[in-house]
Amino acid sequence: MGNEAALRSSMVGLALVMVVVWLWTQSLKKTVVTYAVGISLIGGILLPDWDFFDRSFSRWGYPVTAEERAAALARKSHPSRFRVYPMRMVLYGTVYGYAMYRWWMFVSNY
């Protein structure tokens, strides 16, 4: 699955979660918070693995050069979509776990 397809399916999933939150709580505020949390979580998972964002932060304002594109293609020699880094997984688990906990507490208190 390519990056665009993963983003598209994630956005469809988020739309379904937003519909469920709206039907369950009848609250626009909680639906908007669900959207904001969902976009943040999707962006945190998908964007770091795109070639454009998988380079130095100072280079994000500039187009991808031919050298950077060649280096990204060389890194994609293995079939895995996500590159697994232990500290990244610990950080994701901590941040996402807390975000989901806070979101659930906010949505479930109606």
Side-chain angles (χ1 to χ4, degrees):
M1 179 185 318
N3 288 327
E4 288 79 15
L7 180 62
R8 189 177 316 114
S9 62
S10 298
M11 294 301 289
V12 168
L14 176 60
L16 292 174
V17 169
M18 289 172 57
V19 167
V20 169
V21 168
W22 169 255
L23 292 174
W24 184 31
T25 65
Q26 295 291 312
S27 170
L28 180 62
K29 180 179 176 183
K30 291 180 181 184
T31 305
V32 169
V33 168
T34 300
Y35 174 76
V37 169
I39 290 294
S40 300
L41 297 179
I42 289 170
I45 291 175
L46 294 179
L47 292 183
D49 286 321
W50 278 0
D51 296 335
F52 183 82
F53 294 102
D54 194 21
R55 53 191 189 140
S56 175
F57 178 73
S58 63
R59 297 285 304 146
W60 285 8
Y62 303 102
V64 177
T65 63
E67 294 83 20
E68 290 171 335
R69 190 175 308 273
L73 286 173
R75 283 192 309 261
K76 287 189 176 185
S77 61
H78 55 84
S80 175
R81 175 173 164 9
F82 291 108
R83 289 177 287 284
V84 178
Y85 301 108
M87 285 305 296
R88 180 180 179 183
M89 300 309 282
V90 168
L91 183 65
Y92 275 7
T94 304
V95 170
Y96 285 68
Y98 183 73
M100 292 301 292
Y101 167 75
R102 295 297 299 178
W103 170 78
W104 180 254
M105 295 308 292
F106 179 75
V107 170
S108 65
N109 293 328
Y110 58 95

